mmCIF file of all heavy atoms in Angstrom:
data_model
loop_
_atom_site.group_PDB
_atom_site.id
_atom_site.type_symbol
_atom_site.label_atom_id
_atom_site.label_comp_id
_atom_site.label_asym_id
_atom_site.label_seq_id
_atom_site.Cartn_x
_atom_site.Cartn_y
_atom_site.Cartn_z
ATOM 1 N N ARG A 229 -6.302 67.630 -1.514
ATOM 2 C CA ARG A 229 -5.796 68.745 -2.318
ATOM 3 C C ARG A 229 -4.524 68.409 -3.077
ATOM 4 O O ARG A 229 -4.295 68.909 -4.179
ATOM 5 C CB ARG A 229 -5.548 69.949 -1.406
ATOM 6 C CG ARG A 229 -6.801 70.551 -0.828
ATOM 7 C CD ARG A 229 -6.486 71.520 0.282
ATOM 8 N NE ARG A 229 -5.885 70.865 1.430
ATOM 9 C CZ ARG A 229 -5.551 71.479 2.565
ATOM 10 N NH1 ARG A 229 -5.758 72.778 2.676
ATOM 11 N NH2 ARG A 229 -5.011 70.825 3.560
ATOM 12 N N LEU A 270 -6.485 80.464 -11.125
ATOM 13 C CA LEU A 270 -6.572 79.671 -9.901
ATOM 14 C C LEU A 270 -6.522 80.578 -8.679
ATOM 15 O O LEU A 270 -7.282 80.386 -7.720
ATOM 16 C CB LEU A 270 -5.420 78.658 -9.878
ATOM 17 C CG LEU A 270 -5.371 77.699 -8.692
ATOM 18 C CD1 LEU A 270 -6.556 76.740 -8.733
ATOM 19 C CD2 LEU A 270 -4.071 76.895 -8.717
ATOM 20 N N TYR A 271 -5.649 81.557 -8.719
ATOM 21 C CA TYR A 271 -5.514 82.497 -7.602
ATOM 22 C C TYR A 271 -6.810 83.271 -7.379
ATOM 23 O O TYR A 271 -7.312 83.375 -6.252
ATOM 24 C CB TYR A 271 -4.355 83.449 -7.889
ATOM 25 C CG TYR A 271 -4.171 84.545 -6.875
ATOM 26 C CD1 TYR A 271 -3.431 84.327 -5.728
ATOM 27 C CD2 TYR A 271 -4.743 85.805 -7.080
ATOM 28 C CE1 TYR A 271 -3.263 85.338 -4.788
ATOM 29 C CE2 TYR A 271 -4.571 86.821 -6.153
ATOM 30 C CZ TYR A 271 -3.834 86.581 -5.007
ATOM 31 O OH TYR A 271 -3.680 87.577 -4.087
ATOM 32 N N GLN A 273 -9.965 82.626 -8.566
ATOM 33 C CA GLN A 273 -11.152 81.818 -8.326
ATOM 34 C C GLN A 273 -11.206 81.237 -6.923
ATOM 35 O O GLN A 273 -12.281 80.992 -6.381
ATOM 36 C CB GLN A 273 -11.240 80.690 -9.361
ATOM 37 C CG GLN A 273 -11.500 81.152 -10.780
ATOM 38 C CD GLN A 273 -12.834 81.883 -10.896
ATOM 39 O OE1 GLN A 273 -13.833 81.478 -10.321
ATOM 40 N NE2 GLN A 273 -12.843 82.986 -11.657
ATOM 41 N N THR A 274 -10.041 80.969 -6.327
ATOM 42 C CA THR A 274 -10.046 80.355 -4.999
ATOM 43 C C THR A 274 -10.283 81.350 -3.875
ATOM 44 O O THR A 274 -10.450 80.946 -2.716
ATOM 45 C CB THR A 274 -8.716 79.618 -4.740
ATOM 46 O OG1 THR A 274 -7.631 80.563 -4.830
ATOM 47 C CG2 THR A 274 -8.508 78.507 -5.755
ATOM 48 N N LYS A 275 -10.311 82.636 -4.178
ATOM 49 C CA LYS A 275 -10.521 83.638 -3.123
ATOM 50 C C LYS A 275 -11.861 83.466 -2.421
ATOM 51 O O LYS A 275 -11.991 83.776 -1.236
ATOM 52 C CB LYS A 275 -10.432 85.047 -3.716
ATOM 53 C CG LYS A 275 -9.012 85.518 -3.992
ATOM 54 C CD LYS A 275 -8.990 86.977 -4.412
ATOM 55 C CE LYS A 275 -7.565 87.486 -4.558
ATOM 56 N NZ LYS A 275 -7.507 88.914 -4.915
ATOM 57 N N SER A 276 -12.844 82.990 -3.153
ATOM 58 C CA SER A 276 -14.184 82.841 -2.581
ATOM 59 C C SER A 276 -14.444 81.437 -2.026
ATOM 60 O O SER A 276 -15.539 81.163 -1.530
ATOM 61 C CB SER A 276 -15.236 83.161 -3.650
ATOM 62 O OG SER A 276 -15.089 82.303 -4.772
ATOM 63 N N LEU A 277 -13.454 80.555 -2.110
ATOM 64 C CA LEU A 277 -13.641 79.181 -1.643
ATOM 65 C C LEU A 277 -13.382 79.073 -0.142
ATOM 66 O O LEU A 277 -12.774 79.972 0.460
ATOM 67 C CB LEU A 277 -12.705 78.243 -2.404
ATOM 68 C CG LEU A 277 -12.961 78.084 -3.907
ATOM 69 C CD1 LEU A 277 -11.921 77.156 -4.520
ATOM 70 C CD2 LEU A 277 -14.372 77.573 -4.186
ATOM 71 N N PRO A 278 -13.827 77.980 0.492
ATOM 72 C CA PRO A 278 -13.513 77.766 1.914
ATOM 73 C C PRO A 278 -12.007 77.755 2.127
ATOM 74 O O PRO A 278 -11.220 77.528 1.195
ATOM 75 C CB PRO A 278 -14.136 76.394 2.198
ATOM 76 C CG PRO A 278 -15.197 76.239 1.171
ATOM 77 C CD PRO A 278 -14.703 76.919 -0.053
ATOM 78 N N GLU A 279 -11.586 77.986 3.358
ATOM 79 C CA GLU A 279 -10.161 78.151 3.653
ATOM 80 C C GLU A 279 -9.320 76.945 3.254
ATOM 81 O O GLU A 279 -8.135 77.093 2.926
ATOM 82 C CB GLU A 279 -9.964 78.441 5.146
ATOM 83 C CG GLU A 279 -10.433 77.332 6.060
ATOM 84 C CD GLU A 279 -10.160 77.643 7.523
ATOM 85 O OE1 GLU A 279 -9.718 78.768 7.822
ATOM 86 O OE2 GLU A 279 -10.371 76.755 8.354
ATOM 87 N N ARG A 280 -9.922 75.765 3.212
ATOM 88 C CA ARG A 280 -9.171 74.567 2.814
ATOM 89 C C ARG A 280 -8.689 74.681 1.373
ATOM 90 O O ARG A 280 -7.647 74.131 1.014
ATOM 91 C CB ARG A 280 -10.052 73.321 2.992
ATOM 92 C CG ARG A 280 -9.371 72.021 2.574
ATOM 93 C CD ARG A 280 -10.243 70.812 2.878
ATOM 94 N NE ARG A 280 -9.666 69.605 2.324
ATOM 95 C CZ ARG A 280 -8.738 68.868 2.909
ATOM 96 N NH1 ARG A 280 -8.262 69.239 4.079
ATOM 97 N NH2 ARG A 280 -8.268 67.766 2.345
ATOM 98 N N TYR A 281 -9.446 75.381 0.529
ATOM 99 C CA TYR A 281 -9.100 75.493 -0.889
ATOM 100 C C TYR A 281 -8.780 76.934 -1.296
ATOM 101 O O TYR A 281 -8.706 77.233 -2.479
ATOM 102 C CB TYR A 281 -10.244 74.958 -1.749
ATOM 103 C CG TYR A 281 -10.549 73.505 -1.484
ATOM 104 C CD1 TYR A 281 -11.604 73.135 -0.652
ATOM 105 C CD2 TYR A 281 -9.765 72.501 -2.042
ATOM 106 C CE1 TYR A 281 -11.876 71.794 -0.395
ATOM 107 C CE2 TYR A 281 -10.021 71.167 -1.792
ATOM 108 C CZ TYR A 281 -11.085 70.816 -0.968
ATOM 109 O OH TYR A 281 -11.346 69.500 -0.703
ATOM 110 N N ASN A 282 -8.587 77.807 -0.323
ATOM 111 C CA ASN A 282 -8.318 79.216 -0.621
ATOM 112 C C ASN A 282 -6.825 79.398 -0.909
ATOM 113 O O ASN A 282 -6.034 79.822 -0.058
ATOM 114 C CB ASN A 282 -8.751 80.099 0.550
ATOM 115 C CG ASN A 282 -8.837 81.562 0.158
ATOM 116 O OD1 ASN A 282 -8.092 82.023 -0.706
ATOM 117 N ND2 ASN A 282 -9.730 82.285 0.794
ATOM 118 N N PHE A 283 -6.463 79.087 -2.133
ATOM 119 C CA PHE A 283 -5.077 79.181 -2.574
ATOM 120 C C PHE A 283 -4.571 80.617 -2.496
ATOM 121 O O PHE A 283 -3.407 80.875 -2.135
ATOM 122 C CB PHE A 283 -4.985 78.648 -4.011
ATOM 123 C CG PHE A 283 -3.634 78.762 -4.639
ATOM 124 C CD1 PHE A 283 -2.579 77.971 -4.219
ATOM 125 C CD2 PHE A 283 -3.406 79.664 -5.670
ATOM 126 C CE1 PHE A 283 -1.328 78.077 -4.805
ATOM 127 C CE2 PHE A 283 -2.159 79.777 -6.268
ATOM 128 C CZ PHE A 283 -1.120 78.982 -5.828
ATOM 129 N N ALA A 284 -5.415 81.583 -2.820
ATOM 130 C CA ALA A 284 -5.025 82.993 -2.802
ATOM 131 C C ALA A 284 -4.612 83.433 -1.396
ATOM 132 O O ALA A 284 -3.607 84.149 -1.221
ATOM 133 C CB ALA A 284 -6.173 83.852 -3.314
ATOM 134 N N HIS A 285 -5.380 83.024 -0.404
ATOM 135 C CA HIS A 285 -5.070 83.395 0.980
ATOM 136 C C HIS A 285 -3.708 82.834 1.400
ATOM 137 O O HIS A 285 -2.926 83.519 2.082
ATOM 138 C CB HIS A 285 -6.167 82.865 1.906
ATOM 139 C CG HIS A 285 -5.907 83.113 3.359
ATOM 140 N ND1 HIS A 285 -6.022 84.356 3.932
ATOM 141 C CD2 HIS A 285 -5.531 82.264 4.350
ATOM 142 C CE1 HIS A 285 -5.732 84.274 5.224
ATOM 143 N NE2 HIS A 285 -5.418 83.013 5.496
ATOM 144 N N MET A 286 -3.416 81.604 0.970
ATOM 145 C CA MET A 286 -2.134 80.985 1.315
ATOM 146 C C MET A 286 -0.975 81.706 0.646
ATOM 147 O O MET A 286 0.075 81.927 1.259
ATOM 148 C CB MET A 286 -2.155 79.508 0.916
ATOM 149 C CG MET A 286 -3.174 78.679 1.662
ATOM 150 S SD MET A 286 -3.181 76.964 1.108
ATOM 151 C CE MET A 286 -4.588 76.311 2.032
ATOM 152 N N VAL A 287 -1.155 82.077 -0.619
ATOM 153 C CA VAL A 287 -0.099 82.791 -1.342
ATOM 154 C C VAL A 287 0.161 84.156 -0.697
ATOM 155 O O VAL A 287 1.315 84.558 -0.494
ATOM 156 C CB VAL A 287 -0.477 82.965 -2.825
ATOM 157 C CG1 VAL A 287 0.501 83.895 -3.530
ATOM 158 C CG2 VAL A 287 -0.507 81.607 -3.521
ATOM 159 N N ASP A 288 -0.901 84.860 -0.358
ATOM 160 C CA ASP A 288 -0.765 86.205 0.211
ATOM 161 C C ASP A 288 -0.008 86.205 1.534
ATOM 162 O O ASP A 288 0.714 87.165 1.843
ATOM 163 C CB ASP A 288 -2.147 86.826 0.426
ATOM 164 C CG ASP A 288 -2.845 87.129 -0.893
ATOM 165 O OD1 ASP A 288 -2.162 87.206 -1.922
ATOM 166 O OD2 ASP A 288 -4.089 87.278 -0.880
#
Side-chain angles (χ1 to χ4, degrees):
R229 292 167 295 182
L270 182 67
Y271 175 85
Q273 293 299 318
T274 60
K275 283 187 174 182
S276 59
L277 294 178
E279 62 178 6
R280 179 175 173 84
Y281 299 99
N282 195 329
F283 176 71
H285 176 73
M286 296 178 186
V287 171
D288 292 341

